[in-house]
Amino acid sequence: MYGEWPVTEQQHAPEPGLENLLSEERRFPPPPDLAAHANATSDLYAWANADRPAFWAEQARTLLTWSTPFSTGLDWSNPPFATWFADGELNAAYNAVDRHVEAGLGDRVAIHFEGEPGDTRTLTYADLQREVSRAANALTALGVGTGDRVAVYLPMIPEAVITMLACARIGAPHSVVFGGFSAEALYSRILDAEAKVVVTADGGYRRGAPAALKPAVDEALAKGPTTVGHVLVVRRTGQDTAWTQGRDVWWHDVVDTASDQHTPVPVNAEHPLFILYTSGTTGKPKGILHTTGGYLTQAAFTHLNVFDLKPETDVYWCTADVGWITGHSYVAYGPLVNGATQVIYEGTPDTPDRGRWWSIIEKYKVSILYTAPTAIRSCMKWGEQWPAAHDLSSLRVLGSVGEPINPEAWIWYRSTIGGDRAPIVDTWWQTETGAIMISPLPGVTTTKPGSAQVPLPGIAADVIDDETHSVPNGSGGYLVITEPWPSMLRGIWGDPDRYVDTYWSRFKGIYFAGDGAKKDEDGDIWLLGRVDDVMNVSGHRLSTTEIESALVSHEWVAEAAVVGASDETTGQAVVAFVILRGDAAGAALPADEVAAQLRAHVAKAIGPIAKPRQILVVPELPKTRSGKIMRRLLRDVAEHRVVGDATTLADSSVMDLIAAGLAAPKA
Ligand code: PRX
């Protein structure tokens, strides 16, 4: 599984001509005015290092409101199963909403919602309290109790956040499934979590048109028996929607009419807050489990300090969808727990034109922007004229997440969007880590284009070699976390063994993140990409094995191998190599047609995000004598490089065959 290190050094080497961007002069000290008033100062590191659990306990006490204060901090007596603050009780929705209203901040805007067609909604904290209470009452009436799971399959509309908080309010873990996943993917997630209710919408707006969502829920629930009793449907687009009497209920019928009074249910700090499925190296997606107290502590701490949030004056915007962990920690929980005002935007950055994001920033005077390198690279491609047409002077902190940011995009982000003024925080973390782990602090760190740089105060990360030794500065290895942290995953839903195997067995007792990294001469960390069979496409995690399984499930396909090839915009792109069955109908079709059909098949099995950019029909796949596919060689082909050392292949002529096949004119 980890056989191909060193992997991606080549892919992530700086573009030619960029050496100057990486030189000593390209260091950006924190802006003095920001540093003078920053939430986080450099002494945080020493404080945290002196006693990490005590540091986090202090954060938990100051950042959250507990209905029963905790007396225990970290319990690491049964590694790798950690608990934090385990004898305390609290409620996540109370912390995100009610306590701000009680503190007299009910009129503060919590959410500026901007729909893709241009419709808007403003929700104050008082509005949010009423909406979340109604939804909590409605879910209870639909039979959801504390501990029951609720699947959420919604577009980026306020109801997505309201539903998550309503679940938290009654102690029902939510399992949000990204709207871009297929009915089949939704079905498997509903089954695995044994969800009692699915919350969805008739559809959402995307690229200027309504895109249906509810039909995928209907299709998922028709696949076989499930534990789902009700489907709660938000009317967003007004599209015609098939209806199953007795099962389906409209949001406006049951939520809007419910009482807006509701008492949040206090839960134990270790009560499950949510499950979020993510792709791994093998088999089906894993349900990553996060609990309440530790997760909220680190989500709030990082949101406050990494973005230097001033809740009274800042307008924060994270462009992530709630279907991903970034949307959980930095849309639903972190900002609201901190009492921030945030923007939520439903649609794509290029609708109605490529200036949409910049017009939103100008309109709401966004001061903190958190987005992904893929988006930045797309905007770069579209040209400076789009941001130049808008006043972006409100921006004061810029965040990046999801994949390594290449120095060229970093510099563009800083100068074109940030006016050479706003510091960039390149934040490294994962679904599993729950919150940001490695990042500059905007008032402290002198930033370097392309590097996430330093573990946050309270986080112990290192880069190690195969023998578990910390590598010296200037060398590369595996990124690991060496001490437990509050927002760490508590397990894989229903599969404790897989949790231990996946994260804690490569290096005994150490959390291995799956990423390669190097330390530069100053000891700063540079992420180099995954060292396992996980791809990162537009900041989204995709498993090579999952896509291979989807391809092989098609009747034409005998064998498939998938690689992530570097892509200028999306970071990596999915490239698939397939061998067709000799007798398959597809074998007689032109290669383009075969590829089109197989791409559609993958979209149906997993979702459009998993569709290969390219599918190549080949006569053979390169395998070692033990039968392992050598993806490194396929990556060479996909990236149009000279094929590397093929001497360990069982049949070394295979690469010639593949090359010849690809060179041959298409039928
Ligand atoms: O490879 C790393 C990459 O994204 C992976 C985690 O993906 P996911 O769980 O979907 O969470 C994405 C959002 C937190 C990591 O293993 N990654 C994430 N952030 C960065 C990154 N790679 C380089 N630099 C980052 N800032």
Side-chain angles (χ1 to χ4, degrees):
M1 192 168 21
Y2 305 113
E4 296 188 28
W5 176 262
V7 256
T8 41
E9 189 84 54
Q10 196 173 8
Q11 291 168 9
H12 294 277
E15 298 86 339
L18 278 179
E19 292 80 2
N20 60 329
L21 297 184
L22 297 171
S23 70
E24 274 303 312
E25 298 83 70
R26 304 310 293 236
R27 299 284 177 268
F28 300 91
D33 49 336
L34 192 154
H37 304 103
N39 295 343
T41 50
S42 59
D43 52 337
L44 273 188
Y45 292 104
W47 173 28
N49 277 340
D51 186 345
R52 282 195 191 85
F55 169 81
W56 285 118
E58 180 62 20
Q59 301 307 328
R61 268 189 283 270
T62 43
L63 296 171
L64 304 178
T65 305
W66 296 77
S67 47
T68 307
F70 57 89
S71 63
T72 55
L74 164 69
D75 182 348
W76 192 231
S77 57
N78 180 31
F81 298 92
T83 66
W84 286 85
F85 323 125
D87 62 348
E89 287 191 339
L90 75 170
N91 180 279
Y94 174 81
N95 272 277
V97 183
D98 302 60
R99 64 175 181 150
H100 305 312
V101 180
E102 287 170 14
L105 303 174
D107 291 339
R108 180 181 289 172
V109 173
I111 296 171
H112 288 295
F113 170 68
E114 170 114 353
E116 200 191 71
D119 56 319
T120 61
R121 265 168 83 185
T122 307
L123 286 146
T124 63
Y125 275 93
D127 294 333
L128 201 54
Q129 186 183 34
R130 285 188 288 270
E131 294 294 327
V132 174
S133 296
R134 284 192 186 106
N137 281 321
L139 286 173
T140 307
L142 292 175
V144 179
T146 303
D148 290 339
R149 274 80 59 204
V150 174
V152 182
Y153 190 64
L154 279 168
M156 270 307 272
I157 54 177
E159 284 79 1
V161 173
I162 292 167
T163 301
M164 292 163 81
L165 293 172
C167 289
R169 206 172 172 90
I170 57 177
H174 49 73
S175 162
V176 183
V177 180
F178 176 56
F181 279 122
S182 66
E184 221 161 299
L186 174 64
Y187 175 61
S188 70
R189 285 157 175 78
I190 288 172
L191 281 189
D192 190 73
E194 297 177 292
K196 224 168 167 177
V197 163
V198 183
V199 185
T200 189
D202 51 359
Y205 290 96
R206 237 187 127 63
R207 294 228 147 78
L213 214 48
K214 167 89 169 19
V217 178
D218 293 333
E219 196 187 324
L221 296 180
K223 284 184 184 292
T226 68
T227 41
V228 172
H230 289 287
V231 178
L232 178 56
V233 190
V234 177
R235 177 139 61 202
R236 167 67 185 138
T237 58
Q239 288 161 287
D240 280 346
T241 300
W243 208 250
T244 303
Q245 288 302 336
R247 185 195 72 183
D248 299 350
V249 283
W250 283 113
W251 179 281
H252 52 260
D253 284 340
V254 298
V255 178
D256 291 354
T257 57
S259 161
D260 63 6
Q261 300 297 307
H262 182 271
T263 309
V265 177
V267 297
N268 184 273
E270 283 300 336
H271 185 76
L273 180 61
F274 64 85
I275 304 164
L276 182 59
Y277 288 84
T278 187
S279 292
T281 50
T282 50
K284 58 183 178 120
K286 302 175 290 226
I288 303 299
L289 171 65
H290 283 287
T291 58
T292 310
Y295 170 80
L296 288 182
T297 300
Q298 199 173 325
F301 172 83
T302 51
H303 184 257
L304 199 65
N305 291 296
V306 172
F307 301 112
D308 190 44
L309 175 83
K310 309 288 193 237
E312 306 77 28
T313 48
D314 273 319
V315 178
Y316 164 86
W317 181 23
C318 168
T319 63
D321 190 283
V322 287
W324 309 104
I325 190 68
T326 309
H328 282 60
S329 304
Y330 299 106
V331 177
Y333 290 108
L336 296 176
V337 167
N338 288 332
T341 295
Q342 70 176 316
V343 172
I344 291 182
Y345 170 57
E346 177 186 31
T348 60
D350 52 357
T351 307
D353 61 43
R354 292 168 168 182
R356 185 64 183 273
W357 275 16
W358 320 122
S359 84
I360 290 175
I361 290 172
E362 179 174 9
K363 176 173 172 186
Y364 296 101
K365 301 204 168 21
V366 171
S367 54
I368 303 171
L369 175 67
Y370 193 27
T371 192
T374 295
I376 299 164
R377 287 191 293 264
S378 290
C379 294
M380 261 173 95
K381 241 181 12 199
W382 295 340
E384 296 200 353
Q385 69 277 19
W386 296 104
H390 296 276
D391 177 6
L392 306 181
S393 62
S394 53
L395 286 170
R396 62 178 205 92
V397 178
L398 302 175
S400 172
V401 61
E403 51 185 317
I405 175 163
N406 48 315
E408 191 186 12
W410 195 103
I411 293 285
W412 188 87
Y413 194 24
R414 186 183 153 89
S415 61
T416 308
I417 306 306
D420 282 319
R421 177 186 71 245
I424 294 181
V425 286
D426 174 8
T427 63
W428 178 89
W429 58 296
Q430 307 176 294
T431 306
E432 291 88 341
T433 70
I436 299 169
M437 303 290 279
I438 301 177
S439 167
L441 288 174
V444 176
T445 316
T446 292
T447 52
K448 299 174 181 178
S451 171
Q453 294 187 282
V454 268
L456 287 180
I459 299 301
D462 200 359
V463 182
I464 62 172
D465 64 17
D466 273 311
E467 273 72 53
T468 325
H469 299 126
S470 183
V471 303
N473 289 354
S475 304
Y478 305 101
L479 180 68
V480 292
I481 315 292
T482 54
E483 302 282 341
W485 63 102
S487 62
M488 65 191 269
L489 75 164
R490 297 302 194 263
I492 293 175
W493 186 254
D495 201 344
D497 293 343
R498 194 172 172 206
Y499 165 65
V500 178
D501 286 353
T502 309
Y503 302 107
W504 301 90
S505 60
R506 174 72 175 82
F507 303 103
K508 207 154 176 34
I510 297 178
Y511 175 86
F512 174 44
D515 282 272
K518 69 171 186 202
K519 289 184 199 165
D520 68 14
E521 296 306 331
D522 304 322
D524 281 327
I525 295 174
W526 296 68
L527 276 306
L528 299 175
R530 304 285 304 197
V531 298
D532 53 14
D533 293 337
V534 171
M535 294 170 291
N536 190 324
V537 177
S538 300
H540 298 151
R541 238 160 106 165
L542 295 172
S543 152
T544 50
T545 341
E546 212 184 329
I547 300 176
E548 284 165 5
S549 308
L551 285 166
V552 181
S553 73
H554 192 284
E555 56 182 359
W556 295 350
V557 178
E559 260 190 279
V562 164
V563 297
S566 61
D567 183 281
E568 236 184 53
T569 307
T570 59
Q572 284 189 306
V574 180
V575 176
F577 295 80
V578 296
I579 304 178
L580 296 183
R581 289 178 199 281
D583 56 352
L589 292 176
D592 288 355
E593 223 163 284
V594 174
Q597 293 232 19
L598 295 182
R599 289 178 84 240
H601 180 73
V602 173
K604 197 161 160 37
I606 304 173
I609 49 166
K611 272 197 293 200
R613 178 185 73 183
Q614 205 180 358
I615 295 183
L616 301 164
V617 178
V618 292
E620 282 297 339
L621 289 170
K623 289 187 186 152
T624 61
R625 278 171 206 102
S626 60
K628 189 177 175 321
I629 293 172
M630 290 191 73
R631 287 203 176 75
R632 175 170 58 81
L633 299 180
L634 293 176
R635 221 167 7 235
D636 287 341
V637 174
E639 293 173 358
H640 314 293
R641 267 196 307 270
V642 177
V643 173
D645 181 7
T647 47
T648 51
L649 284 181
D651 174 359
S652 58
S653 64
V654 165
M655 291 316 292
D656 297 335
L657 264 176
I658 291 176
L662 296 181
K666 291 213 172 85

